[in-house]
């Protein structure tokens, strides 16, 4: 039996009127901020100590699909229409420093490669590019055109660099394929057939286990061997679910949260995918779910969860800490 769902710690709305696509925590000894990128291209900076909008960045008009902060403290905004905006700090404010057009419109989120000072971006023809944050050029490309099943791949839906397994990246394709690429050799090490239209996936390098959500009622769990071979583990059917838009494994690897098209968020134990609770605070599709990687003093929790989506507000949760 599912436990009684916890209540959100707080709901952030303010002046946000558009769908919110992306979230990013910025937590250190001086600040506790939450960044939110919306459908009109505005990035709102929330002060979690006051639960108020501290500032907003309005330099673009294309939806903010992902947000990153680099090791050198640059803020990177990926916009849907193939634009990467790079901000630098100036007297405690963010100033737009560079705007790069990689000329491909996609719903796939970029991913940061901190060790390479680069980001991974989707490209046309099922390719993925490594965009240097030094030269602002696509320095290398993972192009599957030579694969025998290239015509079955479709567009790139989701990517995830395996930060703790240097040089490897997982890429999910529209046609229902999950490929493990070696970025150094520009070669596919393993492949796995999954549901078509995979919307989201996440991977845990400590368990060598991942999870895929798609435009269906299924969660697919897979594993990766020490020799980097992908294999199917099991499928979990979800009741009254038509699609999964976001999956996020908590940093302590105890919980995974699935955000659904109807606004529900389903909590599962990560190792065995045992159902824990269903959160029903949101009423429309969930677009992003993130966790803080350190304590948030303003909420007296070691790990704060934030979720957002089409209904244009952000819910904050202290989940089974």
């Amino acid at each position: 039996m599912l436990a009684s769902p916890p209540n959100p710690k707080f709901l952030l709305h303010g002046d946000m009127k558009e769908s919110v696509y992306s979230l990013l925590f910025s937590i250190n000894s001086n600040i506790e901020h939450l960044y939110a990128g919306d459908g009109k291209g505005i990035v709102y900076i929330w002060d979690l100590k006051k639960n108020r909008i501290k500032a907003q960045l309005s330099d673009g008009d294309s939806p903010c699909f992902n947000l990153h902060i680099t090791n050198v403290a640059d803020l990177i905004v990926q916009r849907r229409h193939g634009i990467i905006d790079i901000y630098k700090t100036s007297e405690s404010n963010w100033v737009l420093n560079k705007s790069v057009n990689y000329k491909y419109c996609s719903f796939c989120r970029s991913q940061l490669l901190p060790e390479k000072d680069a980001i991974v971006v989707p490209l046309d023809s099922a390719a993925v590019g490594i965009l240097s944050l030094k030269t602002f050029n696509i320095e290398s490309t993972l192009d599957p055109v030579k694969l025998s099943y290239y015509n079955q791949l479709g567009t790139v839906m989701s990517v995830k660099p395996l930060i703790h397994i240097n040089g490897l990246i997982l890429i999910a394709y529209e046609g229902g394929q999950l490929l493990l690429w070696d970025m150094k050799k520009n070669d596919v090490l393993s492949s796995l057939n999954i549901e078509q239209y995979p919307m989201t996936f996440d991977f845990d390098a400590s368990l060598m286990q991942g999870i895929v959500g798609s435009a269906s009622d299924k969660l697919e769990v897979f594993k990766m061997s020490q020799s980097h071979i992908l294999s199917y583990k099991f499928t979990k059917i979800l009741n009254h679910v038509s699609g999964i838009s976001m999956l996020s494994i908590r940093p302590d690897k105890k919980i995974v949260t699935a955000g659904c098209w109807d606004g529900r968020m389903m909590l599962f134990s990560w190792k065995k995918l045992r159902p824990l609770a269903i959160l029903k605070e949101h009423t429309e599709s969930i677009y992003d779910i993130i966790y803080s990687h350190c304590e948030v003093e303003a909420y007296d929790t070691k790990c704060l969860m934030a979720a957002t989506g089409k209904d244009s507000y952000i819910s904050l949760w202290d989940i089974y800490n």
Side-chain angles (χ1 to χ4, degrees):
M1 181 178 293
L2 296 179
S4 299
N7 294 317
K9 298 288 285 185
F10 205 84
L11 301 177
L12 304 176
H13 196 291
D15 296 328
M16 300 188 304
K17 297 180 176 63
E18 297 291 322
S19 301
V20 180
Y21 285 97
S22 54
L23 297 172
L24 173 71
F25 279 116
S26 179
I27 309 291
N28 59 43
S29 58
N30 298 316
I31 61 171
E32 294 189 340
H33 289 170
L34 177 64
Y35 291 68
D38 80 357
K40 279 200 170 179
I42 300 173
V43 178
Y44 296 90
I45 303 174
W46 286 88
D47 185 337
L48 295 178
K49 294 180 180 179
K50 299 178 180 179
N51 291 325
R52 292 181 180 177
I53 295 173
K54 180 180 186 293
Q56 62 185 60
L57 310 176
S58 308
D59 299 290
D61 57 5
S62 180
C64 303
F65 268 20
N66 217 356
L67 304 167
H68 312 283
I69 289 183
T70 69
N71 292 336
V72 293
D74 288 346
L75 172 67
I76 298 173
V77 181
Q78 176 210 5
R79 303 186 184 279
R80 181 188 170 190
H81 294 101
I83 303 293
I84 297 290
D85 285 338
I86 301 164
Y87 292 81
K88 291 189 177 294
T89 55
S90 175
E91 297 180 355
S92 75
N93 294 318
W94 289 110
V95 176
L96 182 62
N97 179 63
K98 183 77 174 179
S99 190
V100 182
N101 188 346
Y102 59 90
K103 300 178 181 179
Y104 182 62
C105 181
S106 170
F107 289 98
C108 177
R109 296 170 185 260
S110 62
Q111 297 294 329
L112 189 64
L113 289 174
E115 74 281 1
K116 292 181 176 291
D117 201 10
I119 57 173
V120 182
V121 294
L123 299 176
D124 198 7
S125 302
V128 163
I130 312 301
L131 176 69
S132 169
L133 296 174
K134 294 180 179 178
T135 66
F136 307 112
N137 295 321
I138 300 291
E139 297 290 346
S140 61
T141 303
L142 303 177
D143 190 345
V145 68
K146 294 182 180 180
L147 299 177
S148 61
Y149 47 87
Y150 164 72
N151 290 329
Q152 302 171 26
L153 293 178
T155 60
V156 174
M157 299 292 286
S158 185
V159 302
K160 187 171 182 64
L162 306 187
I163 301 299
H164 301 292
I165 310 175
N166 190 31
L168 302 188
I169 183 171
L170 285 164
I171 305 177
Y173 298 85
E174 178 185 16
Q177 291 81 24
L178 182 67
L179 302 187
L180 177 65
W181 286 82
D182 185 326
M183 288 185 285
K184 295 178 180 178
K185 299 179 180 178
N186 199 353
D187 193 20
V188 174
L189 301 181
S190 183
S191 65
L192 184 68
N193 289 329
I194 54 177
E195 282 286 305
Q196 289 187 328
Y197 308 108
M199 306 301 294
T200 177
F201 73 91
D202 205 354
F203 186 80
D204 170 14
S206 65
L207 288 180
M208 298 289 274
Q209 176 174 293
I211 185 169
V212 181
S214 60
S216 74
D217 60 352
K218 298 177 182 177
L219 289 175
E220 297 176 285
V221 177
F222 65 94
K223 59 184 178 180
M224 185 169 74
S225 70
Q226 293 297 327
S227 56
H228 303 145
I229 302 300
L230 300 176
S231 60
Y232 170 83
K233 195 169 183 182
F234 66 87
T235 294
K236 189 173 189 67
I237 305 297
L238 305 180
N239 294 327
H240 311 297
V241 169
S242 58
I244 304 295
S245 49
M246 180 54 61
L247 287 165
S248 187
I249 301 169
R250 199 165 73 176
D252 64 4
K253 317 302 183 187
K254 293 182 178 180
I255 290 174
V256 59
T257 305
C260 304
W261 288 3
D262 63 4
R264 287 179 294 166
M265 291 185 287
M266 298 185 172
L267 305 179
F268 301 91
S269 65
W270 172 224
K271 288 186 178 180
K272 297 184 177 179
L273 229 59
R274 179 172 58 87
L276 300 176
I278 298 176
L279 310 180
K280 299 180 180 180
E281 186 60 43
H282 292 270
T283 57
E284 297 187 80
S285 187
I286 299 296
Y287 289 156
D288 206 1
I289 300 170
I290 64 169
Y291 301 95
S292 67
H293 284 259
C294 58
E295 181 181 358
V296 181
E297 290 185 2
Y299 282 86
D300 190 27
T301 178
K302 62 182 180 182
C303 184
L304 187 66
M305 186 180 90
T308 193
K310 190 175 181 180
D311 53 17
S312 76
Y313 65 91
I314 303 166
S315 58
L316 301 175
W317 307 81
D318 183 3
I319 302 291
Y320 306 137
N321 281 311

